[in-house]
Structures are given as C-alpha cells and as structure tokens.
Amino acid sequence: MARRRLRGWNPPLENINALVASGGPRLLARARELVVTNGYAANACEAFAANLVGDGIKPSSLIEDAALRDRVQRLWLAWTDEADADGLTDFYGLQAMVAREMFVAGECFVRLRPRRAEDELTVPLQMQLLQSEMLPFEKTGTAANGNRLRCGIEFDAIGRRVAYHFRRRHPGDSTDQGAVIPETVRVPAGDVLHIYRPIDAGQIRGLPHVAPAMVRLFLLDQYDDAELDRKKTAAMFAGFITKTAPEEPLMGEAEADLDGATIASLEPGTMQVLLPGEDVKFSSPADVGGGYEAFQYRTLLAVSASLGLPYHLVTGDVRQANYSSLRAELVEFRRRVQQLQHGVLAHQLCRPIWARWMETAVLAGALDLPGYAAAPGRFRAVQWIPPRWDWVDPLKDIQAQVLAMEAGITSRRKVVEATGYDVEEVDRENAADAARATALGLRYRTSPGETQGARATPATRAEPGDGAGNDTDDGADATGPATEQE
C-alpha cells in the first residue's frame, strides 16, 4: 500500500460531518440542478420516490378494542387530507416529497405546526416541509446558552439535539423579499423531525443519494450534448463546391452574406453543368461509431450502480432483460428499499407524527381515549404498512402465497399486509360484499372468504336434486377435493 503504485493515494482522514459541512452547499446546488436538467437523474429521482413511498406508508393501529381502533383509523384518514400546511397535498403526498428530498439533498426537515381551534381542522396539527438549505451548514460554534452549534443544529452537554436554527427565508429564492429580519430563528427540537439516512456513526446531516453518480451524470450529459451538436452542425452542410473562377455564379447561388459566404440551393431534378476545373464534394459527417452504444450502456450501468437503482428504472431500457433477470434485480433492490422504509421513513417520520397526532387529538377532544394519560404507549401501538410490490408474474406469486398459508408458513394477515392493505379493512369489505351479494341473490365462482386451492379449478356444476343442496355454486367446495389444472 505504500509502494510506488499507490504512493500518490493519500486521502485525508476526515469525518463525514467535516466533508458534508465543507462541501454541503455546493453539493446541494449541483444535485438540484442535475435533477432538473438531466433526464436520467430526474427519472431516477421519481423511481426512487415511487418505490420508497408509492401511494403511502399507511398505519394500522394495534389497539385491542375493535370499535375504538376503527374510530382512530377513521379520524386519521380524515386528518391526512389536512396534514399539509401549504394545502398542496395530503400526508402521503408529503411522504413522497420527503423521499424526493432524500434523493436530491439527502435530508428533509418537517416542522410540526400546532393550529388554533378556530382553524376548524379535524385535528389541530399540520406539517411544514423545510429544505436542507434552510438549515445553514456554516452555523457552527457556541450558542448564547453555552450549547454547541454544529451545522445549524444545537446540542446540549450530553449530545442531545435541543434546537434547530433555521433561516427565515430560502437563500436561493429571489422572489421572497421583505423587511430586514434576523437571519435565523431557533426552533425547539421537539417540533422538528430531521429525516435522513445515517451512513456513518455520529453523522448529523444527510448526504444526497445522487452524490455518487453526480460526476458521471454531468459528464455524460455534456458528452451527449456535444455529440448532438456535432451531428446537427454536420447535417447543415449538404456539400461543398470548388471552382476555379469564383466570380462566375452557379445555378441557384444566392448573394453573399455579410461574411462573404455564398450558398447554392439544390432542388429535385436539378442538373448542374460544371465548368472545367470545378468540382462538388458532398458532406459525409463521421458517424458516432460502433462503440457509442456500448459506451453508453456501460456508463449508465455504472450510474445505476452508484444510485442503487436497477438499470431499467433509470433508463427505461428493458431490451436486454428477461423475467429471471428482472426479478433477481428487483428482489435485491426491494431489500434496500425496505431498509429505508422501516429504518428511516417509518422510524424518523411516521412514528413520531403518529404519536404527536394522537396526543393532539386527545387534548383537542377529537378522540376519547380513557386512560391515555396513564398509559399512552398502549394506544400509540401501530404497525406501518408499506406499499405493495407489483411483480412481473403476479399469478405465480399469489399461488405461492396461498400454498404458504395452507402449509402454515405464513398468516393471512401477513399476506394481506404485503399488498399494502389493512387485513381488518379487507375483512370488513369482504363481509359487506358477501352480505350485499346474498341480499341481491348473487353467486360468484368464489365468494369472499371461500378458497379453492392454489391451482384448483371449479368442480362440475351440481344438478338439482342430487343431494348437494340448493346452495351449491359452480365452484369446488372449500373442504372438498379439487381437480388439478394441467
């Protein structure tokens, strides 16, 4: 490691906090411009947010009382439409915005804003998203109360976060002009959620998810732009005419421009007689070459690996993919997504918001939870259900799930929750559908709650009077044998 070949490799021994603090503003500016101007980066950002959040990571209360649990879930559903302080989206839309900020800036801040009773909200609580630039990296030192300030975050003597010193205005928003006010305002840490993926121990600020791929994306975009411009310029010249007597005009030759250059147009069927010594040479621009496609493919593979996203999600190119390769790639990618879902979004964003929402709902009288003050944890118990995964061949996956349930390997609750739904909500809907179908005299091949096996086909229709009963439908009985479909 210290010999000639690696003698020049001497990286500085710096902590990730020092690296982020020194290059944070420049890194943020480059990342935001890249996601706006580069098609691959923009597509990767949307794919990252769509797979991480989808239509939302939704709560399923674990309160034992069914009636009370239903009231809590209904109140939460009504509040999600009012959660955004800006009124632009709902709670699950805010989750998607947080996911995009994690991709671009590596972090996002959520300020919990209590509201007055006269605001007429279902629960007097809203969320305000703040970008990473709102917390200055350069604000480091000692606060007036003696606490330490590190990259805009105030820590007490034992290293706990006690406050955040936010800017009042975004430093890059030139449209927000007003009276001269203090540069930053101190917000207690209890009212702020800092969502970021901790990569190293002791890390206090987030690192953009797009950071490892930024250089390749930028240089590849410049290369593609130069290649397009070269081809466009070459295509403008159809040919070049050389003549021994420049003063004699050619057929179709226009007057010289300000630079002294003349252009001769070509029309279909034109026959041009050339004078002795004159010649016409047509333009033959060089092609991009046979290695262009391979170069693009390998470069974009490296970009996809740097982003931790499958190649086809970044580029939209599935020409070289098949069922097995797509599934293998998605399985690994979804393991990484599940880490972020449960370890970052559910833990740093959803869990504290659920606790604050329930406390606010009880104090405001929107929820009547006897004994909440004595044991709040009993009422706050909740399970966060991520969005369902859609597979390439859903039939095989459903068959495998049915076989796993029949063998006792998994429970029906786990299977239903894997689809992104609450099992109790599904059961209520099935019961309502069955009751409505029975009241209307409707019969289907498979009624809600009735199974026919993973690969079973319905048995033959029972004839009236054969002892099967009048309630026999045209599907196999749930307890009877099922014929195997070839």
Side-chain angles (χ1 to χ4, degrees), residues 70-84 90-91 113-127 356-368:
D70 185 62
R71 291 203 306 271
V72 170
Q73 291 287 150
R74 291 179 181 274
L75 183 65
W76 169 268
L77 183 61
W79 175 80
T80 55
D81 292 337
E82 306 170 345
D84 186 10
D90 62 357
F91 175 72
R113 305 297 299 266
R115 299 306 188 192
R116 296 185 176 90
E118 52 266 26
D119 293 331
E120 298 182 353
L121 298 176
T122 304
V123 175
L125 178 68
Q126 287 186 319
M127 302 164 52
R356 176 65 71 89
W357 172 84
M358 184 164 289
E359 179 183 359
T360 306
V362 171
L363 293 176
L367 274 180
D368 184 15

mmCIF file of all heavy atoms in Angstrom, residues 70-84 90-91 113-127 356-368:
data_model
loop_
_atom_site.group_PDB
_atom_site.id
_atom_site.type_symbol
_atom_site.label_atom_id
_atom_site.label_comp_id
_atom_site.label_asym_id
_atom_site.label_seq_id
_atom_site.Cartn_x
_atom_site.Cartn_y
_atom_site.Cartn_z
ATOM 1 N N ASP A 70 -61.290 1.334 15.173
ATOM 2 C CA ASP A 70 -61.939 1.817 13.963
ATOM 3 C C ASP A 70 -62.121 3.333 14.004
ATOM 4 O O ASP A 70 -61.931 4.012 12.990
ATOM 5 C CB ASP A 70 -63.289 1.119 13.792
ATOM 6 C CG ASP A 70 -63.969 1.489 12.485
ATOM 7 O OD1 ASP A 70 -63.406 1.192 11.423
ATOM 8 O OD2 ASP A 70 -65.046 2.106 12.538
ATOM 9 N N ARG A 71 -62.453 3.879 15.190
ATOM 10 C CA ARG A 71 -62.604 5.336 15.306
ATOM 11 C C ARG A 71 -61.271 6.040 15.078
ATOM 12 O O ARG A 71 -61.214 7.095 14.432
ATOM 13 C CB ARG A 71 -63.161 5.712 16.686
ATOM 14 C CG ARG A 71 -64.592 5.309 16.919
ATOM 15 C CD ARG A 71 -65.242 6.161 17.996
ATOM 16 N NE ARG A 71 -64.496 6.183 19.249
ATOM 17 C CZ ARG A 71 -64.656 5.303 20.233
ATOM 18 N NH1 ARG A 71 -65.544 4.317 20.107
ATOM 19 N NH2 ARG A 71 -63.948 5.388 21.337
ATOM 20 N N VAL A 72 -60.205 5.476 15.609
ATOM 21 C CA VAL A 72 -58.881 6.063 15.437
ATOM 22 C C VAL A 72 -58.490 6.061 13.955
ATOM 23 O O VAL A 72 -58.009 7.075 13.422
ATOM 24 C CB VAL A 72 -57.831 5.308 16.276
ATOM 25 C CG1 VAL A 72 -56.416 5.761 15.924
ATOM 26 C CG2 VAL A 72 -58.092 5.520 17.764
ATOM 27 N N GLN A 73 -58.707 4.942 13.279
ATOM 28 C CA GLN A 73 -58.341 4.853 11.871
ATOM 29 C C GLN A 73 -59.153 5.814 11.015
ATOM 30 O O GLN A 73 -58.619 6.427 10.088
ATOM 31 C CB GLN A 73 -58.544 3.419 11.373
ATOM 32 C CG GLN A 73 -57.580 2.397 11.951
ATOM 33 C CD GLN A 73 -56.170 2.511 11.398
ATOM 34 O OE1 GLN A 73 -55.196 2.197 12.068
ATOM 35 N NE2 GLN A 73 -56.030 2.961 10.178
ATOM 36 N N ARG A 74 -60.430 5.965 11.313
ATOM 37 C CA ARG A 74 -61.272 6.872 10.529
ATOM 38 C C ARG A 74 -60.871 8.328 10.748
ATOM 39 O O ARG A 74 -60.851 9.129 9.804
ATOM 40 C CB ARG A 74 -62.739 6.667 10.885
ATOM 41 C CG ARG A 74 -63.301 5.335 10.411
ATOM 42 C CD ARG A 74 -64.767 5.178 10.810
ATOM 43 N NE ARG A 74 -65.287 3.902 10.386
ATOM 44 C CZ ARG A 74 -65.802 3.651 9.176
ATOM 45 N NH1 ARG A 74 -65.852 4.626 8.274
ATOM 46 N NH2 ARG A 74 -66.259 2.459 8.866
ATOM 47 N N LEU A 75 -60.535 8.681 11.988
ATOM 48 C CA LEU A 75 -60.101 10.047 12.270
ATOM 49 C C LEU A 75 -58.773 10.338 11.586
ATOM 50 O O LEU A 75 -58.566 11.429 11.038
ATOM 51 C CB LEU A 75 -59.986 10.266 13.778
ATOM 52 C CG LEU A 75 -59.600 11.684 14.213
ATOM 53 C CD1 LEU A 75 -60.698 12.679 13.837
ATOM 54 C CD2 LEU A 75 -59.314 11.742 15.714
ATOM 55 N N TRP A 76 -57.858 9.375 11.601
ATOM 56 C CA TRP A 76 -56.581 9.553 10.915
ATOM 57 C C TRP A 76 -56.782 9.765 9.424
ATOM 58 O O TRP A 76 -56.148 10.634 8.814
ATOM 59 C CB TRP A 76 -55.677 8.339 11.166
ATOM 60 C CG TRP A 76 -54.465 8.311 10.298
ATOM 61 C CD1 TRP A 76 -54.323 7.699 9.090
ATOM 62 C CD2 TRP A 76 -53.210 8.965 10.554
ATOM 63 N NE1 TRP A 76 -53.071 7.895 8.577
ATOM 64 C CE2 TRP A 76 -52.360 8.667 9.453
ATOM 65 C CE3 TRP A 76 -52.721 9.734 11.595
ATOM 66 C CZ2 TRP A 76 -51.053 9.140 9.385
ATOM 67 C CZ3 TRP A 76 -51.414 10.205 11.519
ATOM 68 C CH2 TRP A 76 -50.599 9.911 10.425
ATOM 69 N N LEU A 77 -57.643 8.960 8.819
ATOM 70 C CA LEU A 77 -57.894 9.091 7.390
ATOM 71 C C LEU A 77 -58.456 10.463 7.045
ATOM 72 O O LEU A 77 -58.090 11.058 6.025
ATOM 73 C CB LEU A 77 -58.868 7.998 6.936
ATOM 74 C CG LEU A 77 -59.187 7.952 5.438
ATOM 75 C CD1 LEU A 77 -57.920 7.708 4.621
ATOM 76 C CD2 LEU A 77 -60.230 6.881 5.143
ATOM 77 N N ALA A 78 -59.318 10.991 7.899
ATOM 78 C CA ALA A 78 -59.865 12.329 7.651
ATOM 79 C C ALA A 78 -58.792 13.400 7.811
ATOM 80 O O ALA A 78 -58.783 14.401 7.077
ATOM 81 C CB ALA A 78 -61.032 12.598 8.604
ATOM 82 N N TRP A 79 -57.866 13.194 8.764
ATOM 83 C CA TRP A 79 -56.828 14.207 9.013
ATOM 84 C C TRP A 79 -55.769 14.231 7.913
ATOM 85 O O TRP A 79 -55.163 15.282 7.653
ATOM 86 C CB TRP A 79 -56.147 13.935 10.347
ATOM 87 C CG TRP A 79 -54.997 14.860 10.604
ATOM 88 C CD1 TRP A 79 -55.049 16.145 11.050
ATOM 89 C CD2 TRP A 79 -53.598 14.559 10.418
ATOM 90 N NE1 TRP A 79 -53.780 16.664 11.143
ATOM 91 C CE2 TRP A 79 -52.873 15.721 10.768
ATOM 92 C CE3 TRP A 79 -52.913 13.429 10.004
ATOM 93 C CZ2 TRP A 79 -51.491 15.761 10.707
ATOM 94 C CZ3 TRP A 79 -51.533 13.482 9.940
ATOM 95 C CH2 TRP A 79 -50.831 14.638 10.289
ATOM 96 N N THR A 80 -55.523 13.113 7.248
ATOM 97 C CA THR A 80 -54.458 13.076 6.241
ATOM 98 C C THR A 80 -54.681 14.098 5.127
ATOM 99 O O THR A 80 -53.709 14.594 4.541
ATOM 100 C CB THR A 80 -54.347 11.665 5.625
ATOM 101 O OG1 THR A 80 -55.623 11.269 5.102
ATOM 102 C CG2 THR A 80 -53.879 10.658 6.665
ATOM 103 N N ASP A 81 -55.924 14.415 4.834
ATOM 104 C CA ASP A 81 -56.195 15.415 3.796
ATOM 105 C C ASP A 81 -55.858 16.833 4.256
ATOM 106 O O ASP A 81 -55.759 17.742 3.428
ATOM 107 C CB ASP A 81 -57.665 15.361 3.379
ATOM 108 C CG ASP A 81 -58.001 14.073 2.655
ATOM 109 O OD1 ASP A 81 -57.081 13.448 2.092
ATOM 110 O OD2 ASP A 81 -59.183 13.670 2.658
ATOM 111 N N GLU A 82 -55.705 17.047 5.567
ATOM 112 C CA GLU A 82 -55.429 18.377 6.109
ATOM 113 C C GLU A 82 -54.010 18.507 6.636
ATOM 114 O O GLU A 82 -53.659 19.524 7.229
ATOM 115 C CB GLU A 82 -56.411 18.681 7.243
ATOM 116 C CG GLU A 82 -57.877 18.535 6.859
ATOM 117 C CD GLU A 82 -58.796 18.607 8.067
ATOM 118 O OE1 GLU A 82 -58.271 18.475 9.209
ATOM 119 O OE2 GLU A 82 -60.008 18.793 7.900
ATOM 120 N N ALA A 83 -53.176 17.491 6.431
ATOM 121 C CA ALA A 83 -51.868 17.459 7.081
ATOM 122 C C ALA A 83 -50.901 18.501 6.544
ATOM 123 O O ALA A 83 -50.050 19.015 7.280
ATOM 124 C CB ALA A 83 -51.258 16.060 6.934
ATOM 125 N N ASP A 84 -50.992 18.856 5.264
ATOM 126 C CA ASP A 84 -50.033 19.764 4.645
ATOM 127 C C ASP A 84 -50.348 21.206 5.028
ATOM 128 O O ASP A 84 -51.447 21.706 4.779
ATOM 129 C CB ASP A 84 -50.071 19.590 3.131
ATOM 130 C CG ASP A 84 -49.006 20.401 2.421
ATOM 131 O OD1 ASP A 84 -48.123 20.950 3.111
ATOM 132 O OD2 ASP A 84 -49.062 20.493 1.180
ATOM 133 N N ASP A 90 -51.698 15.678 0.474
ATOM 134 C CA ASP A 90 -52.096 15.069 1.739
ATOM 135 C C ASP A 90 -50.861 14.492 2.433
ATOM 136 O O ASP A 90 -49.723 14.710 2.005
ATOM 137 C CB ASP A 90 -53.168 13.996 1.507
ATOM 138 C CG ASP A 90 -52.665 12.859 0.630
ATOM 139 O OD1 ASP A 90 -51.517 12.940 0.161
ATOM 140 O OD2 ASP A 90 -53.422 11.893 0.435
ATOM 141 N N PHE A 91 -51.093 13.729 3.514
ATOM 142 C CA PHE A 91 -49.976 13.203 4.294
ATOM 143 C C PHE A 91 -49.095 12.286 3.456
ATOM 144 O O PHE A 91 -47.858 12.315 3.567
ATOM 145 C CB PHE A 91 -50.508 12.450 5.513
ATOM 146 C CG PHE A 91 -49.451 11.770 6.318
ATOM 147 C CD1 PHE A 91 -48.562 12.498 7.094
ATOM 148 C CD2 PHE A 91 -49.327 10.387 6.299
ATOM 149 C CE1 PHE A 91 -47.570 11.862 7.834
ATOM 150 C CE2 PHE A 91 -48.346 9.744 7.041
ATOM 151 C CZ PHE A 91 -47.469 10.482 7.804
ATOM 152 N N ARG A 113 -46.594 21.898 13.181
ATOM 153 C CA ARG A 113 -47.215 23.188 13.447
ATOM 154 C C ARG A 113 -48.565 23.002 14.134
ATOM 155 O O ARG A 113 -49.550 22.610 13.500
ATOM 156 C CB ARG A 113 -47.422 23.961 12.132
ATOM 157 C CG ARG A 113 -46.173 24.142 11.293
ATOM 158 C CD ARG A 113 -45.116 24.965 11.994
ATOM 159 N NE ARG A 113 -45.562 26.289 12.294
ATOM 160 C CZ ARG A 113 -45.350 27.343 11.499
ATOM 161 N NH1 ARG A 113 -44.735 27.179 10.340
ATOM 162 N NH2 ARG A 113 -45.765 28.534 11.854
ATOM 163 N N PRO A 114 -48.656 23.249 15.444
ATOM 164 C CA PRO A 114 -49.969 23.225 16.118
ATOM 165 C C PRO A 114 -50.845 24.360 15.590
ATOM 166 O O PRO A 114 -50.362 25.447 15.277
ATOM 167 C CB PRO A 114 -49.613 23.424 17.595
ATOM 168 C CG PRO A 114 -48.158 23.126 17.703
ATOM 169 C CD PRO A 114 -47.553 23.494 16.383
ATOM 170 N N ARG A 115 -52.133 24.100 15.479
ATOM 171 C CA ARG A 115 -53.078 25.086 14.971
ATOM 172 C C ARG A 115 -54.125 25.431 16.030
ATOM 173 O O ARG A 115 -54.310 24.717 17.005
ATOM 174 C CB ARG A 115 -53.772 24.560 13.710
ATOM 175 C CG ARG A 115 -52.830 24.272 12.553
ATOM 176 C CD ARG A 115 -51.960 25.467 12.213
ATOM 177 N NE ARG A 115 -51.187 25.264 10.995
ATOM 178 C CZ ARG A 115 -50.201 26.041 10.611
ATOM 179 N NH1 ARG A 115 -49.836 27.079 11.341
ATOM 180 N NH2 ARG A 115 -49.553 25.792 9.480
ATOM 181 N N ARG A 116 -54.801 26.568 15.792
ATOM 182 C CA ARG A 116 -55.840 27.018 16.721
ATOM 183 C C ARG A 116 -57.148 26.292 16.456
ATOM 184 O O ARG A 116 -57.378 25.744 15.377
ATOM 185 C CB ARG A 116 -56.050 28.528 16.576
ATOM 186 C CG ARG A 116 -54.852 29.368 16.963
ATOM 187 C CD ARG A 116 -55.195 30.842 16.909
ATOM 188 N NE ARG A 116 -54.098 31.679 17.362
ATOM 189 C CZ ARG A 116 -53.146 32.172 16.580
ATOM 190 N NH1 ARG A 116 -53.167 31.895 15.289
ATOM 191 N NH2 ARG A 116 -52.184 32.927 17.078
ATOM 192 N N ALA A 117 -58.021 26.324 17.436
ATOM 193 C CA ALA A 117 -59.314 25.664 17.289
ATOM 194 C C ALA A 117 -60.144 26.317 16.196
ATOM 195 O O ALA A 117 -60.911 25.643 15.496
ATOM 196 C CB ALA A 117 -60.060 25.682 18.622
ATOM 197 N N GLU A 118 -59.995 27.636 16.025
ATOM 198 C CA GLU A 118 -60.799 28.326 15.011
ATOM 199 C C GLU A 118 -60.363 27.981 13.580
ATOM 200 O O GLU A 118 -61.047 28.359 12.617
ATOM 201 C CB GLU A 118 -60.723 29.838 15.201
ATOM 202 C CG GLU A 118 -59.338 30.423 15.287
ATOM 203 C CD GLU A 118 -58.848 30.557 16.723
ATOM 204 O OE1 GLU A 118 -59.327 29.781 17.584
ATOM 205 O OE2 GLU A 118 -58.003 31.423 16.983
ATOM 206 N N ASP A 119 -59.245 27.271 13.403
ATOM 207 C CA ASP A 119 -58.856 26.829 12.071
ATOM 208 C C ASP A 119 -59.742 25.701 11.560
ATOM 209 O O ASP A 119 -59.682 25.359 10.369
ATOM 210 C CB ASP A 119 -57.395 26.373 12.062
ATOM 211 C CG ASP A 119 -56.426 27.518 12.292
ATOM 212 O OD1 ASP A 119 -56.773 28.656 11.919
ATOM 213 O OD2 ASP A 119 -55.339 27.285 12.850
ATOM 214 N N GLU A 120 -60.528 25.112 12.473
ATOM 215 C CA GLU A 120 -61.526 24.100 12.130
ATOM 216 C C GLU A 120 -60.911 22.900 11.407
ATOM 217 O O GLU A 120 -61.427 22.415 10.399
ATOM 218 C CB GLU A 120 -62.649 24.709 11.277
ATOM 219 C CG GLU A 120 -63.433 25.803 11.996
ATOM 220 C CD GLU A 120 -64.560 26.345 11.142
ATOM 221 O OE1 GLU A 120 -64.644 25.956 9.958
ATOM 222 O OE2 GLU A 120 -65.361 27.142 11.661
ATOM 223 N N LEU A 121 -59.800 22.416 11.947
ATOM 224 C CA LEU A 121 -59.190 21.196 11.425
ATOM 225 C C LEU A 121 -59.711 19.985 12.190
ATOM 226 O O LEU A 121 -60.134 20.099 13.346
ATOM 227 C CB LEU A 121 -57.666 21.267 11.550
ATOM 228 C CG LEU A 121 -56.968 22.383 10.760
ATOM 229 C CD1 LEU A 121 -55.475 22.379 11.064
ATOM 230 C CD2 LEU A 121 -57.217 22.243 9.273
ATOM 231 N N THR A 122 -59.664 18.830 11.563
ATOM 232 C CA THR A 122 -60.089 17.603 12.236
ATOM 233 C C THR A 122 -59.255 17.374 13.491
ATOM 234 O O THR A 122 -59.781 17.061 14.554
ATOM 235 C CB THR A 122 -59.942 16.411 11.279
ATOM 236 O OG1 THR A 122 -60.686 16.680 10.082
ATOM 237 C CG2 THR A 122 -60.464 15.139 11.915
ATOM 238 N N VAL A 123 -57.957 17.520 13.362
ATOM 239 C CA VAL A 123 -57.014 17.520 14.483
ATOM 240 C C VAL A 123 -56.125 18.740 14.287
ATOM 241 O O VAL A 123 -55.536 18.900 13.208
ATOM 242 C CB VAL A 123 -56.179 16.225 14.525
ATOM 243 C CG1 VAL A 123 -55.123 16.303 15.626
ATOM 244 C CG2 VAL A 123 -57.069 15.008 14.741
ATOM 245 N N PRO A 124 -56.012 19.638 15.282
ATOM 246 C CA PRO A 124 -55.275 20.901 15.088
ATOM 247 C C PRO A 124 -53.762 20.713 15.015
ATOM 248 O O PRO A 124 -53.014 21.137 15.894
ATOM 249 C CB PRO A 124 -55.681 21.727 16.311
ATOM 250 C CG PRO A 124 -56.021 20.721 17.350
ATOM 251 C CD PRO A 124 -56.624 19.550 16.628
ATOM 252 N N LEU A 125 -53.311 20.066 13.947
ATOM 253 C CA LEU A 125 -51.889 19.813 13.743
ATOM 254 C C LEU A 125 -51.627 19.729 12.249
ATOM 255 O O LEU A 125 -52.391 19.105 11.510
ATOM 256 C CB LEU A 125 -51.465 18.506 14.420
ATOM 257 C CG LEU A 125 -50.004 18.080 14.246
ATOM 258 C CD1 LEU A 125 -49.070 19.026 14.987
ATOM 259 C CD2 LEU A 125 -49.800 16.637 14.713
ATOM 260 N N GLN A 126 -50.551 20.383 11.797
ATOM 261 C CA GLN A 126 -50.159 20.309 10.401
ATOM 262 C C GLN A 126 -48.649 20.169 10.287
ATOM 263 O O GLN A 126 -47.912 20.386 11.257
ATOM 264 C CB GLN A 126 -50.639 21.545 9.622
ATOM 265 C CG GLN A 126 -52.134 21.574 9.373
ATOM 266 C CD GLN A 126 -52.562 22.732 8.491
ATOM 267 O OE1 GLN A 126 -52.069 23.849 8.628
ATOM 268 N NE2 GLN A 126 -53.492 22.474 7.578
ATOM 269 N N MET A 127 -48.180 19.824 9.088
ATOM 270 C CA MET A 127 -46.762 19.598 8.823
ATOM 271 C C MET A 127 -46.269 20.592 7.787
ATOM 272 O O MET A 127 -46.944 20.843 6.792
ATOM 273 C CB MET A 127 -46.539 18.169 8.316
ATOM 274 C CG MET A 127 -47.016 17.099 9.255
ATOM 275 S SD MET A 127 -47.166 15.486 8.416
ATOM 276 C CE MET A 127 -45.557 15.334 7.666
ATOM 277 N N ARG A 356 -47.482 12.325 17.986
ATOM 278 C CA ARG A 356 -47.904 13.710 18.182
ATOM 279 C C ARG A 356 -49.360 13.896 17.751
ATOM 280 O O ARG A 356 -50.110 14.641 18.416
ATOM 281 C CB ARG A 356 -46.996 14.638 17.382
ATOM 282 C CG ARG A 356 -47.403 16.113 17.437
ATOM 283 C CD ARG A 356 -47.276 16.699 18.844
ATOM 284 N NE ARG A 356 -45.906 16.846 19.198
ATOM 285 C CZ ARG A 356 -45.168 17.936 18.937
ATOM 286 N NH1 ARG A 356 -45.722 18.971 18.319
ATOM 287 N NH2 ARG A 356 -43.917 17.991 19.308
ATOM 288 N N TRP A 357 -49.760 13.254 16.675
ATOM 289 C CA TRP A 357 -51.149 13.373 16.211
ATOM 290 C C TRP A 357 -52.130 12.843 17.240
ATOM 291 O O TRP A 357 -53.153 13.454 17.511
ATOM 292 C CB TRP A 357 -51.298 12.614 14.887
ATOM 293 C CG TRP A 357 -52.716 12.517 14.415
ATOM 294 C CD1 TRP A 357 -53.412 13.442 13.710
ATOM 295 C CD2 TRP A 357 -53.615 11.423 14.636
ATOM 296 N NE1 TRP A 357 -54.697 13.003 13.476
ATOM 297 C CE2 TRP A 357 -54.841 11.766 14.024
ATOM 298 C CE3 TRP A 357 -53.513 10.194 15.280
ATOM 299 C CZ2 TRP A 357 -55.955 10.914 14.054
ATOM 300 C CZ3 TRP A 357 -54.608 9.347 15.312
ATOM 301 C CH2 TRP A 357 -55.812 9.712 14.704
ATOM 302 N N MET A 358 -51.816 11.683 17.812
ATOM 303 C CA MET A 358 -52.733 11.094 18.792
ATOM 304 C C MET A 358 -52.793 11.951 20.054
ATOM 305 O O MET A 358 -53.872 12.165 20.621
ATOM 306 C CB MET A 358 -52.289 9.666 19.127
ATOM 307 C CG MET A 358 -53.236 8.937 20.063
ATOM 308 S SD MET A 358 -52.962 7.163 20.084
ATOM 309 C CE MET A 358 -53.587 6.715 18.462
ATOM 310 N N GLU A 359 -51.650 12.456 20.494
ATOM 311 C CA GLU A 359 -51.644 13.326 21.680
ATOM 312 C C GLU A 359 -52.451 14.595 21.419
ATOM 313 O O GLU A 359 -53.245 15.027 22.274
ATOM 314 C CB GLU A 359 -50.202 13.682 22.038
ATOM 315 C CG GLU A 359 -50.080 14.611 23.234
ATOM 316 C CD GLU A 359 -48.645 14.998 23.511
ATOM 317 O OE1 GLU A 359 -47.752 14.524 22.771
ATOM 318 O OE2 GLU A 359 -48.414 15.784 24.445
ATOM 319 N N THR A 360 -52.288 15.194 20.243
ATOM 320 C CA THR A 360 -53.037 16.404 19.901
ATOM 321 C C THR A 360 -54.527 16.109 19.789
ATOM 322 O O THR A 360 -55.370 16.914 20.215
ATOM 323 C CB THR A 360 -52.514 16.991 18.577
ATOM 324 O OG1 THR A 360 -51.101 17.199 18.675
ATOM 325 C CG2 THR A 360 -53.192 18.302 18.259
ATOM 326 N N ALA A 361 -54.867 14.959 19.203
ATOM 327 C CA ALA A 361 -56.282 14.593 19.062
ATOM 328 C C ALA A 361 -56.943 14.407 20.414
ATOM 329 O O ALA A 361 -58.098 14.814 20.618
ATOM 330 C CB ALA A 361 -56.398 13.328 18.221
ATOM 331 N N VAL A 362 -56.237 13.815 21.369
ATOM 332 C CA VAL A 362 -56.804 13.626 22.714
ATOM 333 C C VAL A 362 -56.956 14.964 23.420
ATOM 334 O O VAL A 362 -57.996 15.248 24.034
ATOM 335 C CB VAL A 362 -55.914 12.662 23.525
ATOM 336 C CG1 VAL A 362 -56.359 12.626 24.981
ATOM 337 C CG2 VAL A 362 -55.957 11.265 22.917
ATOM 338 N N LEU A 363 -55.947 15.825 23.344
ATOM 339 C CA LEU A 363 -56.023 17.122 24.014
ATOM 340 C C LEU A 363 -57.101 18.014 23.399
ATOM 341 O O LEU A 363 -57.738 18.797 24.109
ATOM 342 C CB LEU A 363 -54.663 17.821 23.929
ATOM 343 C CG LEU A 363 -53.521 17.165 24.715
ATOM 344 C CD1 LEU A 363 -52.208 17.895 24.467
ATOM 345 C CD2 LEU A 363 -53.844 17.133 26.213
ATOM 346 N N ALA A 364 -57.311 17.889 22.095
ATOM 347 C CA ALA A 364 -58.314 18.715 21.425
ATOM 348 C C ALA A 364 -59.721 18.148 21.553
ATOM 349 O O ALA A 364 -60.681 18.786 21.119
ATOM 350 C CB ALA A 364 -57.955 18.870 19.949
ATOM 351 N N GLY A 365 -59.850 16.958 22.121
ATOM 352 C CA GLY A 365 -61.163 16.354 22.274
ATOM 353 C C GLY A 365 -61.659 15.629 21.042
ATOM 354 O O GLY A 365 -62.818 15.199 21.001
ATOM 355 N N ALA A 366 -60.819 15.466 20.009
ATOM 356 C CA ALA A 366 -61.243 14.745 18.814
ATOM 357 C C ALA A 366 -61.284 13.247 19.048
ATOM 358 O O ALA A 366 -62.014 12.521 18.362
ATOM 359 C CB ALA A 366 -60.308 15.064 17.657
ATOM 360 N N LEU A 367 -60.516 12.763 20.027
ATOM 361 C CA LEU A 367 -60.511 11.356 20.398
ATOM 362 C C LEU A 367 -60.765 11.220 21.895
ATOM 363 O O LEU A 367 -60.180 11.963 22.692
ATOM 364 C CB LEU A 367 -59.164 10.709 20.059
ATOM 365 C CG LEU A 367 -58.942 10.148 18.652
ATOM 366 C CD1 LEU A 367 -57.545 9.561 18.539
ATOM 367 C CD2 LEU A 367 -59.995 9.113 18.299
ATOM 368 N N ASP A 368 -61.615 10.286 22.257
ATOM 369 C CA ASP A 368 -61.895 9.985 23.665
ATOM 370 C C ASP A 368 -61.232 8.660 23.995
ATOM 371 O O ASP A 368 -61.738 7.587 23.640
ATOM 372 C CB ASP A 368 -63.402 9.909 23.906
ATOM 373 C CG ASP A 368 -63.725 9.688 25.388
ATOM 374 O OD1 ASP A 368 -62.805 9.889 26.221
ATOM 375 O OD2 ASP A 368 -64.870 9.301 25.699
#
